Amino acid sequence: MSTVPEPLAAPAPNVRLFPLGDAAIVLEFGGGISAATHAAIAAFRARLVRLPCVGLREMVPAFTTLTVYYDPWLAGENGRYAPYDRVASQLRALLATTAVAEAATETAAVEIPVCYGGAFGPDLDFVARHTKLVPAEVIARHSAPDYLVHMIGFAPGFPYLGGLDAQLATPRKEQPRPLVPAGAVGIAGPQTGIYSLPTPGGWQLIGRTPLRLFNPAWAPPSRLQAGQHLRFVPISAAEFQRLQQHES
Amino acid sequence: MSLNILRPGLLTTVQDLGRHGYQKDGIIVSGAMDATALRVGNLLVGNAEEAAGLEITLLGPKICFEADHLIALTGANLSPTLNGQPVRLHRATWVVAGVELAFGAPVAGSRAYLAVAGGLATAPVLGSRSTYLRAGFGGLHGRALQVGDALPVGNPGTVGQQLGQQLAEGAAAGWAQARWAPGPELRPKSARHPIVRTIRGPEFATFSSRSQQAFWQQPFTVTTEADRMGFRLQGPLLERETTAELLSTAVAFGTVQVPAGGQAIVLLADHQTTGGYPRIAQVISADFSVLAQLAPGQAFRFVEVSLAEAQALYLAQEEQLRALRRGIALKVLT
């Protein structure tokens, strides 16, 4: 880092550092899924963009972690340093001087239409049995909240959402499906999300949206961005077909 | 100038060293599965190491060169021939217009690379020419090669031109190969019982001590569910001592993750950017080539090394690549 940052009033909460292989380091922010953790990660990420550590390749934010990919060759400077130790010490120094940001400003929720159950959501009945709710109540509870987009990951434009009704939490499938269609809306443990591409996946599928979430010709290519809010709006199968035709 | 595809092979794709900087948008890195092999091939033809080449999987394509080209074949030995005659891997090779490149039976490894002086000149998407099969972009129309495709080739740089001129004089029979090759340290090591070195993954400690021991002591086999995204492995049942669900977080090339069924999956070049399964281990960068060259049905073992050892091995491999680059620069000076 080129300059020594000024100390700020409130340092980031406890952050644990550990390696993900020999070319990445994970910063784990405590506190579980929360808007506060999201804000702390966003604040640190913004700071690391301005004051990059040596060998920085890219950063991947998640619910409670920021994974920093680095080039061990550059970080080690021709064998003068142990690459991991060098990157870790620079990140710790930056953490010590990064303040926890205020929660992100509220914006209007993006509406995502979803056709629940049946062929669109083959695991709706499983989720209902697991949660001891009737399927209609699962749908009502799933489409009630404004969810926070914590991160985009797993596939292009795939949003990981915070705000799922705790009673809807359902474990992943023991064996992932070989192919989940684009637009499938699922639950995995305490998380809910939308598949953006046909891909293998282990989430419990409760519905499907006809909207595309990703297009390499869009700028940015992802419909949703981290920090936004979204709401699921239940639609009929007929409405699904109409919107799907409109999308293609 | 183009490469004309007469037969596509099993899975032949345009790849470079990957699409970096977009994992935060969920866009995977892609790139060559055996990046070292592609880098060596590019160096042999005077390209930048990150130039795009062809990744050829198990059953190779048949390709006709429309013009004279300097090429190199690296990685797996898939019995390559030029105009029907066997050709050596890891050599700068001059081919004249009309020569046909074909492949036979896989002998060692599963992924070969064709580097061409000037690099493959398909349109870059988000800074890379790598083919992202699942999302359908990058490479040639976002897909594997098909019969009748014509792959554009860029203009060779000074090093590629000079290396080509040195060989062109001896290419009366249609092609000629350099007498020099990189040292054995930069060529694939074929082993009957391959070893893949790993460091402990973030969730290693949450597995039962019995599963931890089994992971290092028992062999794993690559199943037929093996593609550029990852290999599903068959091996000892790996059980955690907790049933707590994990929050999705970043995963990387070489991450060994274990779904609830207890059978490990190792992630490769087209791995998803994030995942939610416990990560028992992480393959070291210096052994990505060994991993990428495994074929379905092949057995291997994971061996534990420390993070410090892993990084030292990576730096040693990078130094070997730099030494090769210096050696080739000297050849065109003399």
Side-chain angles (χ1 to χ4, degrees), chain A residues 17 25 83-93:
Chain A
L17 274 63
I25 182 166
Y84 177 84
D85 295 345
R86 184 108 190 282
V87 173
S89 73
Q90 291 196 352
L91 293 177
R92 281 199 189 94

Side-chain angles (χ1 to χ4, degrees), chain B residues 120-302:
Chain B
L120 299 180
T122 55
V125 178
L126 300 171
S128 166
R129 295 186 165 90
S130 287
T131 311
Y132 185 176
L133 291 168
R134 236 170 252 281
F137 69 81
L140 191 71
H141 312 310
R143 57 160 173 76
L145 297 190
Q146 297 173 357
V147 175
D149 282 342
L151 274 173
V153 179
N155 293 318
T158 324
V159 177
Q161 284 176 24
Q162 291 189 38
L163 290 170
Q165 280 163 15
Q166 289 172 10
L167 290 171
E169 294 154 18
W175 55 277
Q177 292 201 288
R179 285 194 296 273
W180 50 274
E185 67 281 355
L186 286 175
R187 300 198 301 254
K189 300 146 201 64
S190 68
R192 183 177 270 244
H193 302 290
I195 296 293
V196 174
R197 291 168 291 187
T198 64
I199 67 171
R200 295 180 178 201
E203 282 77 50
F204 180 84
T206 69
F207 285 84
S208 71
S209 56
R210 190 175 176 163
S211 293
Q212 290 178 7
Q213 286 166 17
F215 185 78
W216 308 118
Q217 288 168 1
Q218 293 185 31
F220 288 83
T221 303
V222 179
T223 68
T224 53
E225 285 182 77
D227 60 15
R228 285 182 41 88
M229 203 170 163
F231 297 160
R232 194 179 285 274
L233 305 178
Q234 188 183 17
L237 193 66
L238 302 171
E239 293 174 305
R240 296 177 78 208
E241 291 190 319
T242 167
T243 54
E245 288 274 324
L246 293 168
L247 294 174
S248 288
T249 181
V251 291
F253 195 125
T255 296
V256 185
Q257 60 179 21
V258 185
Q263 290 294 330
I265 294 169
V266 59
L267 302 177
L268 298 161
D270 282 358
H271 70 85
Q272 61 216 30
T273 58
T274 58
Y277 295 120
R279 300 157 293 177
I280 192 169
Q282 178 73 36
V283 176
I284 70 170
S285 300
D287 280 359
F288 285 174
S289 294
V290 176
L291 183 63
Q293 293 296 350
L294 294 175
Q298 201 165 1
F300 67 98
R301 278 172 199 274
F302 289 117

Side-chain angles (χ1 to χ4, degrees), chain B residues 74-132:
Chain B
T74 57
N77 181 357
L78 307 179
S79 306
T81 59
L82 287 170
N83 282 350
Q85 300 162 278
V87 58
R88 301 179 79 161
L89 297 173
H90 304 104
R91 304 275 171 148
T93 305
W94 181 258
V95 294
V96 303
V99 166
E100 287 182 6
L101 169 68
F103 294 84
V107 174
S110 29
R111 290 176 175 84
Y113 293 86
L114 170 64
V116 185
L120 299 180
T122 55
V125 178
L126 300 171
S128 166
R129 295 186 165 90
S130 287
T131 311
Y132 185 176

Side-chain angles (χ1 to χ4, degrees), chain A residues 22 65 69-70 154 172 175, chain B residues 245 249 251 273-274 285 311:
Chain A
D22 53 27
T65 59
Y69 290 86
Y70 63 94
F154 174 70
R172 285 180 176 76
Q175 284 299 329
Chain B
E245 288 274 324
T249 181
V251 291
T273 58
T274 58
S285 300
Q311 294 196 321

Side-chain angles (χ1 to χ4, degrees), chain A residues 12 186 216 242:
Chain A
R242 193 187 68 76

Side-chain angles (χ1 to χ4, degrees), chain A residues 36 67 135 203 224:
Chain A
T67 300
W203 293 37
L224 300 163

